[in-house]
Amino acid sequence: MEFQFQFDWQAAIDSIPFLIKGIPYTLLISFGGLLIGFALGIFFGLLSINKKWFLRWPATAYIEIFRGTPILVQVLFIFYGLPDLIGGPIDPLTAGIAAIALNSGAYISEVVRGGVQSIDKGQTEAGLSLGLSRTQTFWSVVWPQAFRRMIPPLGNQAIVSIKDTSLFSVIGVGELVRQGQIYIANTFTAFEVYFVVAILYLAITLSLSIILRFVERRGLASV
Amino acid sequence: MTQIVKMKGMNKYFGKLHVLKDIDLTVEQGEVVVIIGASGSGKSTLIRCVNGLEEYESGTLEVDGQHLAPKSGNPKSLAEIRKEVGMVFQQFNLFPHLTVKKNIMLAPQKVKDAPETVANATAERLLNRVGIGNQADKYPSQLSGGQQQRVAIARALAMEPRLMLFDEPTSALDPEMIGEVLDVMRELAKEGMTMMVVTHEMGFAREVADRVIYIHEGAIVEQGKPHDVFDNPQNERTQAFLSRVLAH
């Protein structure tokens, strides 16, 4: 018996139009989620370095919970579990965006905390000594410098979150992997299709890396 | 004469460490007070109390008519004091993300709501005054240490302070740049600015100070006119300190 596998280029090419339909969902879930995650990250990240324990404690709890549990469990919990609590279904897209938001928010909180804490205390002292309020000092002196240092880890988180959306095929969001699964169910060309799926993820993450390098270089040039 | 700074029986602790001991000190308007003492003697802590960067535990402190209570103090008087008191730091603490000019414009715009054109004109005038008018659009990291410290002085002056605090302004500088910063400070003193200066530059103290204060382990042990303190110190700890720093 002879077995010879041959990569079917035609099958790969044929799958592209169908697979590409998943990209808007992948991008919507990841960037929608990341945008909310960034807001959560600023909020909880700043709370986590507050002097008052009753502000710090809930932030730490949030960070530990969403960093310490798998995102797959989180999205299953939101999609299958939460409807029992709120008494109505949640659509898969919303569940996906929520999962990315909450999960990336926890990691971004740590990025924000680290970024802010890395700025020398002398900067705050200089701001205060000039008569700026604590709030003014933070937003015009500390934050712009901290944000610049946060760009590389934020980019890292964006890439992680984009890839995390591939797990959401389990709740039936028509993102890249889900599209691939549907296509394979009809054509049985798993090797070719997952190969194309992988290439499409790579295309997204590489574009992002390139954009980030550019932003980083411009940001650093002015420091 | 108006007293800009009045300290009475001020005590400060870092944990168990008693860093300022019963400090009584007044600074008159227009006076240049230079504070000398060994590292860790509490001289920086003393001037950092004046604008509330450090809290103190007991005693009273009055700056430009505003009472700054022990512990956190009254936030309103703290804000008022900081508007009137400029500070220059050992490490310059310029804002690295802003150009030199924007460094100077920030506080007038944010704190005094100065229009951009006014703040801009002030910044240019002050940069010329400290001799670096041609560097306005550079970032701090593109300047030498001496230039950076002169920008820091200009930045503090932009708020038109009634009192300037200098916390070892030349200690982080290469030797060849110390002179240019001291020159600016000398000019400022000549123009009548009230100044409290913590420094190791004994030549500057002797020449510019109206009064020299020697601090030892958190207490003022001697003060007086520069030539009295330097040439005829009464306290033996002052004598010991001066013989160490003036020997070389």
Side-chain angles (χ1 to χ4, degrees):
Chain A
M1 202 169 106
E2 197 177 297
F3 180 78
Q4 225 186 5
F5 177 77
Q6 249 218 308
F7 191 89
D8 185 347
W9 283 103
Q10 197 54 49
I13 291 162
D14 288 345
S15 71
I16 292 173
F18 187 80
L19 295 178
I20 274 180
K21 284 186 203 155
I23 288 183
Y25 286 98
T26 294
L27 293 180
L28 179 64
I29 298 170
S30 34
F31 287 103
L34 280 164
L35 209 64
I36 302 169
F38 187 50
L40 290 174
I42 294 174
F43 183 73
F44 286 108
L46 295 183
L47 281 190
S48 76
I49 45 178
N50 200 287
K51 278 190 198 133
K52 301 186 182 80
W53 67 269
F54 57 88
L55 293 176
R56 204 170 56 228
W57 194 85
T60 310
Y62 160 74
I63 294 166
E64 293 302 334
I65 289 168
F66 283 93
R67 240 177 18 155
T69 55
I71 189 166
L72 182 57
V73 175
Q74 289 164 16
V75 77
L76 290 172
F77 184 82
I78 293 167
F79 186 65
Y80 293 110
L82 267 194
D84 291 345
L85 189 73
I86 60 173
I90 296 174
D91 75 280
L93 193 63
T94 310
I97 292 173
I100 292 291
L102 289 165
N103 186 268
S104 70
Y107 285 96
I108 294 171
S109 297
E110 287 291 274
V111 170
V112 168
R113 185 181 63 81
V116 169
Q117 286 182 333
S118 76
I119 303 303
D120 186 74
K121 221 178 79 205
Q123 292 290 307
T124 300
E125 290 185 348
L128 293 177
S129 79
L130 286 165
L132 271 66
S133 68
R134 287 213 159 262
T135 315
Q136 285 174 325
T137 301
F138 182 78
W139 291 112
S140 17
V141 174
V142 178
W143 179 258
Q145 298 180 55
F147 181 72
R148 235 161 257 193
R149 295 192 188 176
M150 282 156 48
I151 292 172
L154 283 176
N156 199 36
Q157 181 57 44
I159 287 171
V160 169
S161 290
I162 289 168
K163 294 184 296 176
D164 279 347
T165 61
S166 66
L167 295 164
F168 301 165
S169 54
V170 297
I171 58 166
V173 190
E175 46 69 66
L176 256 174
V177 168
R178 176 74 180 163
Q179 289 296 100
Q181 289 170 338
I182 294 169
Y183 193 80
I184 293 164
N186 295 314
T187 62
F188 305 105
T189 49
F191 192 96
E192 287 80 2
V193 171
Y194 282 133
F195 180 79
V196 175
V197 167
I199 295 287
L200 290 175
Y201 274 111
L202 201 57
I204 297 171
T205 54
L206 278 180
S207 322
L208 186 63
S209 291
I210 291 165
I211 293 169
L212 282 165
R213 288 260 158 81
F214 180 73
V215 171
E216 226 176 289
R217 213 173 310 141
R218 275 196 43 169
L220 292 176
S222 54
V223 167
Chain B
M1 282 288 266
T2 325
Q3 292 177 333
I4 302 250
V5 179
K6 267 191 266 186
M7 295 175 171
K8 257 209 153 76
M10 249 181 61
N11 283 283
K12 163 142 189 90
Y13 299 82
F14 283 128
K16 278 187 183 163
L17 193 68
H18 197 171
V19 283
L20 292 179
K21 295 170 186 162
D22 289 318
I23 300 286
D24 290 320
L25 173 64
T26 55
V27 178
E28 307 277 343
Q29 187 174 351
E31 198 179 12
V32 176
V33 174
V34 171
I35 301 161
I36 59 172
S39 298
S41 58
K43 53 196 193 305
S44 287
T45 308
L46 177 68
I47 67 163
R48 286 164 58 86
C49 283
V50 174
N51 67 348
L53 286 184
E54 298 286 354
E55 298 169 353
Y56 64 101
E57 269 69 37
S58 67
T60 60
L61 169 60
E62 194 182 321
V63 182
D64 200 28
Q66 297 277 345
H67 287 276
L68 191 59
K71 301 288 181 192
S72 48
N74 174 0
K76 232 176 133 189
S77 37
L78 190 59
E80 285 306 312
I81 287 170
R82 284 174 177 166
K83 271 185 228 172
E84 303 295 334
V85 179
M87 187 164 199
V88 175
F89 300 87
Q90 182 177 352
Q91 301 295 338
F92 329 137
N93 295 348
L94 291 177
F95 307 133
H97 61 299
L98 300 177
T99 61
V100 162
K101 195 194 265 179
K102 296 273 182 202
N103 261 274
I104 300 171
M105 291 167 66
L106 181 71
Q109 286 187 288
K110 295 270 175 194
V111 181
K112 290 187 167 171
D113 291 320
E116 184 161 1
T117 47
V118 174
N120 188 57
T122 306
E124 283 177 359
R125 177 172 55 79
L126 288 169
L127 281 172
N128 283 326
R129 180 164 158 194
V130 298
I132 34 181
N134 53 344
Q135 315 276 9
D137 296 316
K138 287 193 178 166
Y139 284 89
S141 60
Q142 295 169 295
L143 268 51
S144 72
Q147 290 173 324
Q148 288 189 49
Q149 194 60 300
R150 285 186 281 157
V151 173
I153 294 172
R155 180 176 69 174
L157 291 177
M159 287 296 286
E160 298 174 322
R162 306 238 299 144
L163 165 69
M164 283 283 283
L165 307 173
F166 292 86
D167 187 4
E168 301 202 26
T170 58
S171 296
L173 294 174
D174 291 336
E176 74 270 23
M177 293 175 183
I178 291 173
E180 62 193 64
V181 172
L182 293 181
D183 285 345
V184 171
M185 291 169 63
R186 201 174 281 125
E187 279 301 307
L188 212 51
K190 225 182 271 172
E191 288 162 25
M193 176 63 78
T194 313
M195 295 162 63
M196 291 178 80
V197 185
V198 169
T199 187
H200 294 287
E201 294 296 327
M202 296 303 153
F204 176 83
R206 188 188 278 271
E207 180 200 332
V208 181
D210 294 309
R211 181 156 44 121
V212 174
I213 293 177
Y214 172 65
I215 291 198
H216 180 77
E217 289 176 2
I220 296 178
V221 300
E222 184 152 0
Q223 56 177 313
K225 296 243 171 267
H227 81 95
D228 289 335
V229 174
F230 284 118
D231 301 332
N232 192 17
Q234 300 301 305
N235 190 294
E236 59 187 56
R237 279 167 305 198
T238 319
Q239 292 164 4
F241 173 75
L242 288 173
S243 71
R244 263 181 289 133
V245 295
L246 297 177
H248 45 87

